[in-house]
Amino acid sequence: LRFRLTVTGTVYADGSYNTPASDFAEMLPAVDGLEPGDVLVVGEDGKLARSTQPYQPTVVGVYSTRPGFVGGQPAEGELEGHIPLAVVGVVPVKASAENGPIRPGDLLVASSIPGHAMKAGPNPPVGTVIGKALEPLTEGTGVIRMLVVLQ
């Protein structure tokens, strides 16, 4: 197996890349005050914001806690006003059991609690599903692992 890095920064590998993190995130502009695990929507200004209503159709994903891969990140420095939006993989998400207990395999959508997901129930509207629960939440609110599956 070989690993090669060119002078332009392109990386080549003949094997696997391993990381303890488990999602791919994209750096996107966002409003202030967001937290990892928040369910996010795209606002009219094009910035990411916390979800605020059940089945919100502008939902785009979750604020990544610790992304394994980051797209849109400059080679040097940080992007001010940008956060990592988990678009693929497994990520912790704030959740609520307001629409019934969440079981592994349940589809998740935005809830009425800002920044939280809830069980979708049967036939959620197109464009509202953010993922599949990988852990249960029987009551109240908490943080569970979710596989990001935008639908």
Side-chain angles (χ1 to χ4, degrees), residues 35-93:
E35 300 174 346
D38 277 342
V39 174
L40 300 174
V41 298
V42 62
E44 288 186 21
D45 60 359
K47 291 184 178 183
L48 300 177
R50 191 174 286 117
S51 63
T52 58
Q53 54 190 280
Y55 298 94
Q56 199 161 353
T58 53
V59 71
V60 291
V62 176
Y63 188 144
S64 180
T65 304
R66 204 173 109 206
F69 299 92
V70 182
Q73 178 71 29
E76 294 182 25
E78 296 291 324
L79 287 171
E80 292 222 10
H82 288 62
I83 62 164
L85 172 71
V87 294
V88 175
V90 177
V91 64
V93 64

Short mmCIF file of all heavy atoms in Angstrom, two decimals, residues 35-93:
data_model
loop_
_atom_site.label_atom_id
_atom_site.label_comp_id
_atom_site.label_asym_id
_atom_site.label_seq_id
_atom_site.Cartn_x
_atom_site.Cartn_y
_atom_site.Cartn_z
N GLU A 35 -25.46 25.00 18.04
CA GLU A 35 -24.68 24.04 18.83
C GLU A 35 -24.60 22.71 18.11
O GLU A 35 -25.54 22.32 17.40
CB GLU A 35 -25.35 23.79 20.19
CG GLU A 35 -25.50 25.02 21.04
CD GLU A 35 -26.32 24.73 22.30
OE1 GLU A 35 -26.98 23.68 22.39
OE2 GLU A 35 -26.28 25.59 23.19
N PRO A 36 -23.49 21.96 18.29
CA PRO A 36 -23.41 20.62 17.72
C PRO A 36 -24.62 19.78 18.14
O PRO A 36 -25.08 19.86 19.28
CB PRO A 36 -22.12 20.07 18.30
CG PRO A 36 -21.27 21.28 18.52
CD PRO A 36 -22.26 22.33 18.99
N GLY A 37 -25.16 19.02 17.19
CA GLY A 37 -26.34 18.20 17.44
C GLY A 37 -27.64 18.87 17.06
O GLY A 37 -28.68 18.22 17.01
N ASP A 38 -27.61 20.19 16.79
CA ASP A 38 -28.82 20.90 16.37
C ASP A 38 -29.29 20.41 15.01
O ASP A 38 -28.49 20.21 14.09
CB ASP A 38 -28.57 22.41 16.24
CG ASP A 38 -28.64 23.16 17.54
OD1 ASP A 38 -29.21 22.65 18.52
OD2 ASP A 38 -28.14 24.31 17.58
N VAL A 39 -30.62 20.26 14.85
CA VAL A 39 -31.22 20.03 13.55
C VAL A 39 -31.24 21.39 12.85
O VAL A 39 -31.67 22.39 13.44
CB VAL A 39 -32.64 19.45 13.69
CG1 VAL A 39 -33.33 19.37 12.32
CG2 VAL A 39 -32.60 18.09 14.35
N LEU A 40 -30.77 21.42 11.59
CA LEU A 40 -30.59 22.70 10.90
C LEU A 40 -31.46 22.81 9.66
O LEU A 40 -31.75 21.83 8.98
CB LEU A 40 -29.12 22.87 10.51
CG LEU A 40 -28.13 22.86 11.67
CD1 LEU A 40 -26.71 22.89 11.15
CD2 LEU A 40 -28.39 24.03 12.61
N VAL A 41 -31.83 24.05 9.36
CA VAL A 41 -32.58 24.40 8.15
C VAL A 41 -31.77 25.46 7.41
O VAL A 41 -30.88 26.08 7.98
CB VAL A 41 -33.99 24.95 8.48
CG1 VAL A 41 -34.83 23.90 9.19
CG2 VAL A 41 -33.91 26.23 9.32
N VAL A 42 -32.11 25.65 6.15
CA VAL A 42 -31.50 26.74 5.39
C VAL A 42 -32.48 27.89 5.41
O VAL A 42 -33.66 27.74 5.08
CB VAL A 42 -31.09 26.31 3.96
CG1 VAL A 42 -32.28 25.87 3.13
CG2 VAL A 42 -30.31 27.41 3.28
N GLY A 43 -31.98 29.06 5.85
CA GLY A 43 -32.83 30.24 5.94
C GLY A 43 -32.95 30.95 4.61
O GLY A 43 -32.26 30.63 3.64
N GLU A 44 -33.84 31.96 4.55
CA GLU A 44 -34.04 32.72 3.33
C GLU A 44 -32.77 33.45 2.89
O GLU A 44 -32.60 33.75 1.72
CB GLU A 44 -35.19 33.70 3.51
CG GLU A 44 -36.54 33.01 3.56
CD GLU A 44 -37.69 33.99 3.61
OE1 GLU A 44 -37.51 35.17 3.22
OE2 GLU A 44 -38.78 33.57 4.04
N ASP A 45 -31.87 33.72 3.85
CA ASP A 45 -30.61 34.39 3.52
C ASP A 45 -29.53 33.41 3.09
O ASP A 45 -28.40 33.79 2.83
CB ASP A 45 -30.12 35.22 4.71
CG ASP A 45 -29.87 34.38 5.96
OD1 ASP A 45 -30.10 33.16 5.94
OD2 ASP A 45 -29.46 34.97 6.98
N GLY A 46 -29.87 32.09 3.03
CA GLY A 46 -28.93 31.07 2.64
C GLY A 46 -28.05 30.56 3.76
O GLY A 46 -27.22 29.69 3.56
N LYS A 47 -28.25 31.09 4.98
CA LYS A 47 -27.46 30.65 6.12
C LYS A 47 -28.19 29.55 6.87
O LYS A 47 -29.41 29.51 6.92
CB LYS A 47 -27.19 31.81 7.08
CG LYS A 47 -26.24 32.84 6.52
CD LYS A 47 -25.96 33.90 7.56
CE LYS A 47 -24.96 34.92 7.03
NZ LYS A 47 -24.64 35.92 8.07
N LEU A 48 -27.39 28.65 7.47
CA LEU A 48 -27.97 27.60 8.30
C LEU A 48 -28.51 28.21 9.58
O LEU A 48 -27.92 29.12 10.15
CB LEU A 48 -26.90 26.56 8.65
CG LEU A 48 -26.27 25.83 7.47
CD1 LEU A 48 -25.19 24.89 7.96
CD2 LEU A 48 -27.32 25.09 6.66
N ALA A 49 -29.65 27.69 10.03
CA ALA A 49 -30.29 28.15 11.26
C ALA A 49 -30.92 26.94 11.95
O ALA A 49 -31.10 25.88 11.33
CB ALA A 49 -31.37 29.18 10.95
N ARG A 50 -31.24 27.08 13.22
CA ARG A 50 -31.87 26.01 14.00
C ARG A 50 -33.31 25.80 13.50
O ARG A 50 -34.03 26.76 13.24
CB ARG A 50 -31.86 26.42 15.47
CG ARG A 50 -32.24 25.34 16.44
CD ARG A 50 -32.06 25.81 17.90
NE ARG A 50 -30.65 25.87 18.25
CZ ARG A 50 -30.00 26.98 18.59
NH1 ARG A 50 -30.62 28.13 18.65
NH2 ARG A 50 -28.72 26.94 18.89
N SER A 51 -33.73 24.54 13.39
CA SER A 51 -35.11 24.24 13.01
C SER A 51 -36.04 24.76 14.10
O SER A 51 -35.67 24.83 15.28
CB SER A 51 -35.31 22.74 12.82
OG SER A 51 -35.09 22.04 14.03
N THR A 52 -37.28 25.13 13.72
CA THR A 52 -38.21 25.73 14.69
C THR A 52 -39.62 25.16 14.63
O THR A 52 -40.45 25.51 15.46
CB THR A 52 -38.32 27.24 14.47
OG1 THR A 52 -38.75 27.48 13.12
CG2 THR A 52 -36.99 27.94 14.74
N GLN A 53 -39.91 24.29 13.64
CA GLN A 53 -41.27 23.78 13.52
C GLN A 53 -41.28 22.32 13.08
O GLN A 53 -40.34 21.86 12.42
CB GLN A 53 -42.08 24.64 12.55
CG GLN A 53 -41.44 24.80 11.20
CD GLN A 53 -42.13 25.84 10.35
OE1 GLN A 53 -43.15 25.52 9.76
NE2 GLN A 53 -41.59 27.03 10.28
N PRO A 54 -42.33 21.58 13.45
CA PRO A 54 -42.40 20.17 13.07
C PRO A 54 -42.48 20.00 11.55
O PRO A 54 -43.12 20.80 10.88
CB PRO A 54 -43.66 19.65 13.75
CG PRO A 54 -44.34 20.80 14.37
CD PRO A 54 -43.47 22.00 14.24
N TYR A 55 -41.82 18.97 11.05
CA TYR A 55 -41.82 18.63 9.63
C TYR A 55 -41.36 19.80 8.76
O TYR A 55 -41.84 19.98 7.65
CB TYR A 55 -43.21 18.15 9.19
CG TYR A 55 -43.66 16.90 9.89
CD1 TYR A 55 -44.46 16.97 11.03
CD2 TYR A 55 -43.28 15.65 9.43
CE1 TYR A 55 -44.87 15.82 11.68
CE2 TYR A 55 -43.69 14.49 10.07
CZ TYR A 55 -44.48 14.59 11.20
OH TYR A 55 -44.89 13.44 11.83
N GLN A 56 -40.43 20.60 9.25
CA GLN A 56 -39.96 21.77 8.52
C GLN A 56 -39.33 21.35 7.19
O GLN A 56 -38.38 20.57 7.16
CB GLN A 56 -38.95 22.54 9.38
CG GLN A 56 -38.75 23.96 8.94
CD GLN A 56 -38.13 24.81 10.04
OE1 GLN A 56 -37.97 24.39 11.19
NE2 GLN A 56 -37.80 26.04 9.69
N PRO A 57 -39.88 21.86 6.06
CA PRO A 57 -39.41 21.40 4.75
C PRO A 57 -38.04 21.94 4.33
O PRO A 57 -37.44 21.43 3.39
CB PRO A 57 -40.50 21.89 3.79
CG PRO A 57 -41.11 23.05 4.49
CD PRO A 57 -41.01 22.77 5.96
N THR A 58 -37.53 22.94 5.04
CA THR A 58 -36.23 23.51 4.68
C THR A 58 -35.08 22.85 5.44
O THR A 58 -33.95 23.32 5.40
CB THR A 58 -36.21 25.03 4.95
OG1 THR A 58 -36.63 25.26 6.30
CG2 THR A 58 -37.13 25.77 3.98
N VAL A 59 -35.37 21.72 6.11
CA VAL A 59 -34.36 21.00 6.87
C VAL A 59 -33.26 20.49 5.93
O VAL A 59 -33.54 20.06 4.82
CB VAL A 59 -35.00 19.86 7.70
CG1 VAL A 59 -35.48 18.73 6.81
CG2 VAL A 59 -34.08 19.36 8.76
N VAL A 60 -31.99 20.60 6.40
CA VAL A 60 -30.86 20.19 5.55
C VAL A 60 -29.89 19.25 6.25
O VAL A 60 -28.99 18.71 5.62
CB VAL A 60 -30.08 21.39 4.99
CG1 VAL A 60 -30.93 22.15 3.96
CG2 VAL A 60 -29.60 22.31 6.09
N GLY A 61 -30.01 19.04 7.54
CA GLY A 61 -29.10 18.14 8.23
C GLY A 61 -28.89 18.52 9.68
O GLY A 61 -29.74 19.16 10.29
N VAL A 62 -27.72 18.14 10.20
CA VAL A 62 -27.40 18.30 11.61
C VAL A 62 -26.03 18.95 11.76
O VAL A 62 -25.11 18.66 10.98
CB VAL A 62 -27.41 16.92 12.32
CG1 VAL A 62 -26.98 17.03 13.76
CG2 VAL A 62 -28.79 16.30 12.22
N TYR A 63 -25.88 19.80 12.75
CA TYR A 63 -24.58 20.41 13.08
C TYR A 63 -23.67 19.29 13.55
O TYR A 63 -23.91 18.66 14.57
CB TYR A 63 -24.79 21.45 14.18
CG TYR A 63 -23.62 22.34 14.53
CD1 TYR A 63 -23.84 23.65 14.88
CD2 TYR A 63 -22.31 21.87 14.57
CE1 TYR A 63 -22.79 24.49 15.23
CE2 TYR A 63 -21.26 22.70 14.93
CZ TYR A 63 -21.51 24.00 15.25
OH TYR A 63 -20.46 24.82 15.61
N SER A 64 -22.62 19.01 12.80
CA SER A 64 -21.73 17.89 13.10
C SER A 64 -20.92 18.14 14.36
O SER A 64 -20.36 19.21 14.55
CB SER A 64 -20.78 17.65 11.92
OG SER A 64 -19.93 16.57 12.21
N THR A 65 -20.88 17.12 15.22
CA THR A 65 -20.13 17.21 16.47
C THR A 65 -18.63 17.07 16.25
O THR A 65 -17.84 17.83 16.79
CB THR A 65 -20.62 16.11 17.44
OG1 THR A 65 -22.02 16.26 17.61
CG2 THR A 65 -19.93 16.19 18.77
N ARG A 66 -18.26 16.09 15.44
CA ARG A 66 -16.85 15.80 15.20
C ARG A 66 -16.71 15.10 13.84
O ARG A 66 -16.56 13.89 13.77
CB ARG A 66 -16.33 14.90 16.31
CG ARG A 66 -14.84 14.96 16.52
CD ARG A 66 -14.46 14.18 17.75
NE ARG A 66 -13.77 12.98 17.31
CZ ARG A 66 -13.72 11.86 17.97
NH1 ARG A 66 -14.33 11.74 19.12
NH2 ARG A 66 -13.06 10.84 17.51
N PRO A 67 -16.75 15.87 12.73
CA PRO A 67 -16.74 15.24 11.41
C PRO A 67 -15.42 14.54 11.10
O PRO A 67 -14.35 15.00 11.49
CB PRO A 67 -16.98 16.40 10.45
CG PRO A 67 -16.56 17.62 11.20
CD PRO A 67 -16.82 17.33 12.65
N GLY A 68 -15.52 13.42 10.38
CA GLY A 68 -14.34 12.69 9.94
C GLY A 68 -13.76 13.29 8.67
O GLY A 68 -12.56 13.28 8.46
N PHE A 69 -14.61 13.80 7.83
CA PHE A 69 -14.21 14.45 6.58
C PHE A 69 -14.95 15.77 6.50
O PHE A 69 -16.14 15.83 6.81
CB PHE A 69 -14.58 13.58 5.38
CG PHE A 69 -13.91 12.24 5.40
CD1 PHE A 69 -14.52 11.15 5.99
CD2 PHE A 69 -12.65 12.09 4.84
CE1 PHE A 69 -13.90 9.91 6.01
CE2 PHE A 69 -12.02 10.85 4.86
CZ PHE A 69 -12.64 9.76 5.44
N VAL A 70 -14.26 16.82 6.05
CA VAL A 70 -14.87 18.14 5.97
C VAL A 70 -14.64 18.73 4.58
O VAL A 70 -13.50 18.92 4.16
CB VAL A 70 -14.30 19.10 7.03
CG1 VAL A 70 -14.98 20.46 6.95
CG2 VAL A 70 -14.44 18.52 8.43
N GLY A 71 -15.73 18.99 3.89
CA GLY A 71 -15.65 19.65 2.59
C GLY A 71 -15.79 21.16 2.77
O GLY A 71 -16.43 21.62 3.71
N GLY A 72 -15.18 21.91 1.89
CA GLY A 72 -15.31 23.36 1.94
C GLY A 72 -14.43 24.04 2.97
O GLY A 72 -14.54 25.24 3.18
N GLN A 73 -13.54 23.28 3.59
CA GLN A 73 -12.62 23.84 4.60
C GLN A 73 -11.35 24.30 3.88
O GLN A 73 -10.78 23.54 3.11
CB GLN A 73 -12.27 22.78 5.65
CG GLN A 73 -11.30 23.22 6.71
CD GLN A 73 -11.91 24.21 7.69
OE1 GLN A 73 -13.10 24.19 7.94
NE2 GLN A 73 -11.10 25.06 8.24
N PRO A 74 -10.90 25.55 4.10
CA PRO A 74 -9.66 25.97 3.44
C PRO A 74 -8.46 25.18 3.96
O PRO A 74 -8.49 24.66 5.08
CB PRO A 74 -9.56 27.46 3.81
CG PRO A 74 -10.38 27.62 5.03
CD PRO A 74 -11.45 26.57 4.97
N ALA A 75 -7.42 25.11 3.14
CA ALA A 75 -6.21 24.37 3.53
C ALA A 75 -5.56 24.98 4.76
O ALA A 75 -4.96 24.27 5.56
CB ALA A 75 -5.21 24.35 2.37
N GLU A 76 -5.69 26.28 4.93
CA GLU A 76 -5.12 26.95 6.10
C GLU A 76 -6.16 27.91 6.68
O GLU A 76 -6.93 28.51 5.96
CB GLU A 76 -3.86 27.72 5.73
CG GLU A 76 -2.72 26.83 5.30
CD GLU A 76 -1.47 27.62 4.99
OE1 GLU A 76 -1.31 28.74 5.52
OE2 GLU A 76 -0.65 27.12 4.22
N GLY A 77 -6.16 28.03 8.00
CA GLY A 77 -7.07 28.96 8.67
C GLY A 77 -8.47 28.39 8.84
O GLY A 77 -8.75 27.25 8.51
N GLU A 78 -9.33 29.20 9.38
CA GLU A 78 -10.72 28.82 9.66
C GLU A 78 -11.67 29.72 8.89
O GLU A 78 -11.35 30.88 8.61
CB GLU A 78 -11.01 28.95 11.16
CG GLU A 78 -10.21 28.01 12.03
CD GLU A 78 -10.62 26.57 11.87
OE1 GLU A 78 -11.82 26.29 11.68
OE2 GLU A 78 -9.72 25.72 11.90
N LEU A 79 -12.83 29.22 8.55
CA LEU A 79 -13.87 30.02 7.92
C LEU A 79 -14.72 30.66 9.01
O LEU A 79 -15.38 29.96 9.76
CB LEU A 79 -14.76 29.14 7.04
CG LEU A 79 -14.17 28.64 5.74
CD1 LEU A 79 -15.10 27.61 5.12
CD2 LEU A 79 -13.97 29.80 4.78
N GLU A 80 -14.69 31.97 9.10
CA GLU A 80 -15.52 32.64 10.10
C GLU A 80 -16.98 32.58 9.69
O GLU A 80 -17.31 32.70 8.50
CB GLU A 80 -15.08 34.10 10.24
CG GLU A 80 -13.72 34.20 10.87
CD GLU A 80 -13.65 35.32 11.89
OE1 GLU A 80 -14.70 35.88 12.24
OE2 GLU A 80 -12.54 35.60 12.32
N GLY A 81 -17.87 32.34 10.66
CA GLY A 81 -19.29 32.31 10.38
C GLY A 81 -19.77 31.06 9.67
O GLY A 81 -20.88 31.04 9.16
N HIS A 82 -18.94 30.02 9.62
CA HIS A 82 -19.31 28.76 8.98
C HIS A 82 -19.28 27.64 10.04
O HIS A 82 -18.49 27.70 10.97
CB HIS A 82 -18.33 28.40 7.87
CG HIS A 82 -18.46 29.25 6.65
ND1 HIS A 82 -18.26 30.61 6.65
CD2 HIS A 82 -18.77 28.91 5.39
CE1 HIS A 82 -18.44 31.08 5.44
NE2 HIS A 82 -18.75 30.07 4.64
N ILE A 83 -20.14 26.64 9.84
CA ILE A 83 -20.14 25.47 10.73
C ILE A 83 -20.19 24.20 9.88
O ILE A 83 -20.58 24.24 8.71
CB ILE A 83 -21.34 25.49 11.70
CG1 ILE A 83 -22.66 25.44 10.95
CG2 ILE A 83 -21.26 26.70 12.63
CD1 ILE A 83 -23.84 25.09 11.81
N PRO A 84 -19.82 23.05 10.47
CA PRO A 84 -19.88 21.80 9.71
C PRO A 84 -21.28 21.19 9.72
O PRO A 84 -21.81 20.85 10.77
CB PRO A 84 -18.88 20.90 10.45
CG PRO A 84 -18.84 21.42 11.85
CD PRO A 84 -19.12 22.89 11.75
N LEU A 85 -21.88 21.08 8.55
CA LEU A 85 -23.20 20.47 8.39
C LEU A 85 -22.99 19.01 8.00
O LEU A 85 -22.42 18.73 6.94
CB LEU A 85 -24.00 21.18 7.30
CG LEU A 85 -25.32 20.51 6.90
CD1 LEU A 85 -26.35 20.66 8.01
CD2 LEU A 85 -25.83 21.08 5.60
N ALA A 86 -23.43 18.08 8.84
CA ALA A 86 -23.32 16.65 8.53
C ALA A 86 -24.29 16.33 7.40
O ALA A 86 -25.49 16.56 7.52
CB ALA A 86 -23.64 15.81 9.76
N VAL A 87 -23.75 15.82 6.30
CA VAL A 87 -24.59 15.50 5.15
C VAL A 87 -24.66 14.00 4.86
O VAL A 87 -25.56 13.55 4.16
CB VAL A 87 -24.15 16.28 3.89
CG1 VAL A 87 -24.39 17.76 4.07
CG2 VAL A 87 -22.71 16.02 3.55
N VAL A 88 -23.70 13.23 5.39
CA VAL A 88 -23.67 11.77 5.21
C VAL A 88 -23.02 11.16 6.44
O VAL A 88 -22.07 11.72 6.97
CB VAL A 88 -22.85 11.38 3.97
CG1 VAL A 88 -22.72 9.88 3.85
CG2 VAL A 88 -23.45 11.95 2.70
N GLY A 89 -23.51 10.02 6.89
CA GLY A 89 -22.86 9.29 7.97
C GLY A 89 -23.65 9.30 9.27
O GLY A 89 -24.84 9.63 9.29
N VAL A 90 -22.96 8.93 10.34
CA VAL A 90 -23.57 8.82 11.67
C VAL A 90 -23.18 10.03 12.49
O VAL A 90 -22.01 10.40 12.54
CB VAL A 90 -23.12 7.52 12.36
CG1 VAL A 90 -23.69 7.42 13.77
CG2 VAL A 90 -23.53 6.31 11.53
N VAL A 91 -24.17 10.65 13.16
CA VAL A 91 -23.94 11.87 13.91
C VAL A 91 -24.87 11.92 15.12
O VAL A 91 -26.00 11.44 15.06
CB VAL A 91 -24.16 13.10 12.98
CG1 VAL A 91 -25.58 13.20 12.51
CG2 VAL A 91 -23.72 14.39 13.61
N PRO A 92 -24.41 12.49 16.24
CA PRO A 92 -25.33 12.72 17.37
C PRO A 92 -26.33 13.82 17.00
O PRO A 92 -25.96 14.81 16.37
CB PRO A 92 -24.41 13.19 18.50
CG PRO A 92 -23.03 12.82 18.09
CD PRO A 92 -23.03 12.82 16.59
N VAL A 93 -27.58 13.64 17.39
CA VAL A 93 -28.61 14.63 17.11
C VAL A 93 -29.46 14.83 18.37
O VAL A 93 -29.75 13.88 19.10
CB VAL A 93 -29.51 14.20 15.92
CG1 VAL A 93 -30.29 12.94 16.21
CG2 VAL A 93 -30.45 15.33 15.50
#
